[in-house]
């Protein structure tokens, strides 16, 4: 099919402008015409749109964990069925390119809870260019890539907790420059994850200088979303001031009891940086719980050296006691500087089938059933699952989520982990939840404004001048939905459920979802940074 005519849609074009009734002709992957109804006729396929249904640009997920999922399941139904036509991967400072043989083994094990660790996948790429070329063999949505700072540190420094030398920092800068030259859109960090968290501000500054030179952006998972959240955000905003690097604060939240009602303080800091001339944006997910790995709660020193060393420390009685004290008494830096609240930790996925019975349950409930202290159950699960366990962390606050979501520099990001039996429902429901819950029901955002948050605004951040808006000549990434019914159906109890109200999704001119059903078209490809 080379021509597709969509007739009589309420077009919300992604710019924030009011909707208008239009016919849209798609030809050879591009938007050929946008006209008043009735002026176009004849195409290989015609979709007559029911009254009131909206045609918008495809949604752009600014924070996705689909680095392997796009390769193992190119149809990518959980995300494409939400209307996501572009994902930004390589997140939180740990990903799979650039890589070498030794580092690949460590990374695969460390983030198995995010992406799985498929034994039958060919991991033959090593550079960013080779990974992007692998995506280009056939995926349903498009994908843009961030160079992961933690992986750079593994390659140049190793997994030890120490400052990088001048020579090692220079090597990281070279690797980063190569990745950006090969098409990455920026750099990510995971500053509560090892080894990225071992980098001091001066090391990050040296890397941000390279990102700025290439016109990319820095997307940090900051050092804390808990006890030190405001200080962590200040560090990132100061980096933007000092280096001129564009900054995208990914999954921007203010979590845990210490931050209830404090989103205004964070947003005031963002506004001050913008007033100073900094290029700052942010994304959120429209839910209260977060999702990560159980091993992320460990203190940074316990993860030094990588997974094998971390597991060995749990076998050492002295080291085990020290970890327990940090987790339960002092506040682990892996848990954002607060003590772990075991009642908020719910297991969402395991690799070891022996642990299946615990999925969906909180750590406090499991410990009560076993008659053990939660921290001892914590150690037992980590060891039996070889650090691959994923969790939901129920630590968010609705007033903070709403305030951050309404900010004029906000964008949508799912932070979705797709693996596990009970993943976070955001993996299937993030974007329809914006449209159904926060637009139609809560009226926190107007529809045109929300679509701009999810399309035109993130396209601008990514430098995609031909995507994110419905305009003649642009790439035809489109979503057709009913604003009166669009809604997420995924729940924490049953998270793997398709949203309702989204009838058609088009990627690069090809129907990926047709009348609510996947087509199998693999029209997506990598989106490289434009120079």
């Amino acid at each position: 099919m080379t021509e597709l005519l969509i007739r009589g849609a309420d077009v919300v074009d992604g710019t924030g402008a009011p909707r208008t009734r239009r016919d849209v002709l798609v030809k050879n992957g591009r938007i050929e015409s946008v006209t008043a109804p009735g002026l176009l006729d004849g195409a290989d396929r015609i979709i007559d749109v029911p009254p009131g249904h909206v045609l918008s640009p495809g949604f752009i997920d600014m924070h996705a964990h689909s680095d392997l999922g796009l390769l193992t399941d190119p149809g990518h139904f959980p995300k494409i069925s939400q209307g996501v036509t572009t994902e930004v991967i390589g997140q939180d400072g740990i990903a799979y390119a650039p890589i070498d043989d030794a580092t690949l083994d460590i990374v695969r094990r460390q983030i198995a809870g995010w992406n799985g660790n498929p034994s039958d996948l060919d991991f033959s790429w090593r550079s960013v260019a080779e990974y992007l070329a692998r995506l280009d063999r056939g995926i349903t949505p498009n994908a843009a890539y961030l160079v992961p700072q933690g992986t750079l540190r593994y390659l140049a420094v190793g997994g030890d907790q120490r400052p990088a030398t001048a020579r090692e920092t220079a090597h990281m800068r070279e690797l980063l420059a190569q990745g950006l030259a090969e098409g990455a859109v920026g750099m990510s960090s995971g500053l509560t994850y090892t080894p990225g968290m071992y980098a001091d501000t001066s090391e990050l500054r040296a890397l941000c200088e390279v990102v700025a030179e290439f016109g990319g952006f820095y997307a940090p998972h900051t050092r804390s979303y808990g006890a030190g959240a405001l200080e962590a955000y200040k560090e990132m905003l100061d980096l933007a001031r000092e280096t001129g690097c564009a900054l995208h604060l990914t999954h921007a939240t203010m979590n845990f009891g210490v931050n209830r009602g404090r989103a205004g303080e964070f947003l005031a800091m963002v506004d001050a940086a913008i007033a100073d001339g900094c290029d700052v944006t942010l994304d959120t997910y429209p839910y209260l719980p977060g999702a990560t790995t159980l091993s992320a709660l460990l203190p940074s020193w316990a993860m030094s050296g990588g997974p094998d060393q971390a597991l060995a420390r749990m076998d050492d009685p002295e080291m085990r006691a020290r970890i327990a004290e940090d987790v339960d008494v002092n506040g682990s830096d892996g848990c954002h500087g607060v003590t772990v609240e075991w009642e908020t930790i719910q297991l969402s996925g395991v690799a070891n089938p022996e642990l299946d019975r615990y999925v969906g349950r909180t750590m406090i409930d499991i410990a009560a059933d076993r008659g053990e202290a939660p921290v001892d159950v914590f150690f037992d699960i980590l060891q039996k699952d070889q650090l691959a366990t994923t969790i939901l962390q129920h630590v968010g606050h609705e007033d903070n989520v709403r305030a951050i979501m309404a900010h004029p520099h906000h964008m949508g990001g799912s932070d979705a982990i797709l693996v596990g039996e009970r993943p976070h429902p955001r993996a299937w429901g993030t974007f329809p939840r914006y449209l159904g819950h926060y637009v139609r029901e809560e009226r926190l955002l107007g529809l045109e404004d929300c679509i701009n948050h999810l399309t035109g605004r993130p396209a601008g951040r990514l430098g995609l001048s031909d995507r994110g808006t419905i305009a003649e000549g642009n790439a035809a990434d489109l979503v057709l939905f009913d604003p009166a019914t669009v809604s997420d159906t995924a729940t924490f109890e049953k998270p793997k459920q398709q949203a309702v109200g989204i009838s058609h999704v088009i990627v690069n001119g090809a129907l990926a979802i047709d009348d609510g059903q996947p087509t199998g078209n693999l029209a997506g490809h990598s989106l490289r940074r434009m120079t």
Side-chain angles (χ1 to χ4, degrees):
M1 182 185 299
T2 58
E3 289 188 352
L4 171 66
L5 177 58
I6 304 168
R7 295 197 299 204
D10 285 355
V11 170
V12 178
D13 67 4
T15 67
R19 73 193 78 183
T20 53
R21 183 68 58 85
R22 290 289 184 265
D23 290 352
V24 176
L25 178 64
V26 172
K27 184 176 181 179
N28 296 326
R30 295 273 163 182
I31 299 172
E32 178 81 5
S33 301
V34 181
T35 70
L39 300 181
L40 300 172
D41 192 21
D44 298 314
R45 169 73 184 276
I46 298 174
I47 299 175
D48 286 309
V49 177
H53 286 219
V54 165
L55 183 70
S56 81
F59 306 138
I60 298 175
D61 188 344
M62 287 296 294
H63 191 98
H65 288 284
S66 306
D67 305 54
L68 299 186
L70 286 165
L71 301 178
T72 59
D73 182 18
H76 215 47
F77 186 67
K79 303 301 283 296
I80 201 72
S81 63
Q82 299 182 49
V84 173
T85 59
T86 294
E87 297 197 299
V88 185
I89 55 178
Q91 298 284 354
D92 290 336
I94 300 288
Y96 305 91
I99 207 79
D100 61 21
D101 292 351
T103 302
L104 177 61
D105 180 65
I106 295 170
V107 168
R108 286 178 63 176
R109 295 179 60 198
Q110 181 169 333
I111 57 174
W114 293 355
N115 296 298
N117 188 10
S119 59
D120 57 348
L121 180 63
D122 177 11
F123 285 87
S124 58
W125 70 84
R126 290 296 177 266
S127 67
V128 170
E130 289 168 346
Y131 175 71
L132 296 179
R134 176 66 67 85
L135 295 175
D136 287 340
R137 293 183 189 178
I139 53 179
T140 300
N142 305 302
Y145 188 73
L146 296 165
V147 178
Q149 171 257 329
T151 304
L152 297 181
R153 206 171 207 275
Y154 269 136
L155 291 167
V157 182
D160 294 336
Q161 185 176 9
R162 65 171 177 82
T165 66
R167 186 171 185 175
E168 290 165 342
T169 300
H171 185 34
M172 285 187 280
R173 284 170 57 96
E174 291 170 0
L175 291 169
L176 174 58
Q178 179 180 346
L180 293 166
E182 291 173 350
V185 295
M187 179 182 76
S188 74
S189 283
L191 300 177
T192 65
Y193 302 122
T194 56
M197 67 195 308
Y198 301 149
D200 58 22
T201 305
S202 63
E203 182 179 321
L204 297 176
R205 184 182 301 112
L207 296 175
C208 284
E209 289 170 353
V210 177
V211 177
E213 289 171 7
F214 278 84
F217 65 92
Y218 178 37
H221 167 122
T222 67
R223 297 191 194 274
S224 176
Y225 296 95
L230 292 178
E231 292 81 0
Y233 282 126
K234 182 179 185 301
E235 179 189 18
M236 299 299 105
L237 293 166
D238 285 346
L239 280 172
R241 288 184 172 96
E242 294 163 9
T243 66
C245 183
L247 179 67
H248 181 76
L249 296 169
T250 193
H251 49 50
T253 56
M254 293 286 287
N255 286 338
F256 303 92
V258 295
N259 288 319
R260 184 182 296 275
R262 301 187 69 187
E265 297 174 60
F266 159 57
L267 294 174
M269 294 169 60
V270 170
D271 290 339
I274 293 170
D276 288 343
C278 297
D279 181 0
V280 183
T281 54
L282 51 91
D283 70 62
T284 64
Y285 47 82
Y287 298 86
L288 300 186
T292 187
T293 58
L294 187 63
S295 64
L297 306 182
L298 290 165
S300 58
W301 64 265
M303 284 293 294
S304 179
D308 286 335
Q309 289 86 337
L311 289 165
R313 290 184 183 103
M314 294 179 213
D315 283 329
D316 182 299
E318 184 178 339
M319 292 292 99
R320 185 182 178 106
R322 183 182 167 193
I323 295 170
E325 184 174 10
D326 277 355
V327 167
D328 271 344
V329 179
N330 300 330
S332 167
D333 52 2
C335 193
H336 307 278
V338 302
T339 57
V340 177
E341 299 165 340
W342 298 110
E343 68 276 9
T344 70
I345 307 301
Q346 181 183 17
L347 268 61
S348 58
V350 295
N352 184 344
E354 294 179 13
L355 302 172
D356 284 346
R357 65 189 184 277
Y358 296 140
V359 172
R361 302 184 63 192
T362 66
M363 291 291 289
I364 200 77
D365 288 340
I366 298 168
D369 277 359
R370 291 173 46 159
E372 300 176 30
V375 72
D376 290 327
V377 177
F378 170 66
F379 287 128
D380 182 60
I381 291 174
L382 285 175
Q383 290 174 302
K384 287 181 177 175
D385 214 25
Q386 293 289 292
L387 309 184
T389 313
T390 53
I391 61 171
L392 304 182
Q393 204 166 3
H394 295 264
V395 292
H397 306 290
E398 180 68 14
D399 54 348
N400 286 346
V401 170
R402 293 169 68 91
I404 294 169
M405 188 186 301
H407 192 272
H409 287 241
H410 165 269
M411 303 170 190
S414 71
D415 195 11
I417 294 172
L418 299 173
V419 300
E421 285 302 307
R422 294 268 296 266
H424 198 299
R426 64 194 183 193
W428 290 73
T430 292
F431 292 85
R433 181 169 173 81
Y434 273 115
L435 299 170
H437 183 67
Y438 284 103
V439 172
R440 185 179 64 247
E441 297 172 3
E442 296 293 318
R443 299 186 179 181
L444 178 65
L445 302 170
L447 180 61
E448 288 85 353
D449 185 25
C450 183
I451 294 298
N452 175 244
H453 285 234
L454 307 182
T455 61
R457 198 176 296 172
R461 164 51 79 215
L462 294 171
L464 302 174
S465 59
D466 65 341
R467 295 178 194 268
T469 58
I470 296 178
E472 293 178 354
N474 276 7
D477 293 344
L478 302 166
V479 180
L480 186 61
F481 66 92
D482 181 359
T485 64
V486 63
S487 182
D488 58 314
T489 65
T491 66
F492 289 99
E493 292 72 29
K494 294 182 178 180
K496 298 180 180 181
Q497 299 192 94
Q498 182 180 356
V500 297
I502 297 174
S503 60
H504 296 79
V505 180
I506 300 161
V507 181
N508 295 318
L511 280 160
I513 298 292
D514 190 354
D515 198 21
Q517 300 300 312
T519 65
N521 285 330
L522 302 178
H525 55 75
S526 63
L527 300 178
R528 291 166 169 79
R529 185 186 54 82
M530 295 184 179
T531 56

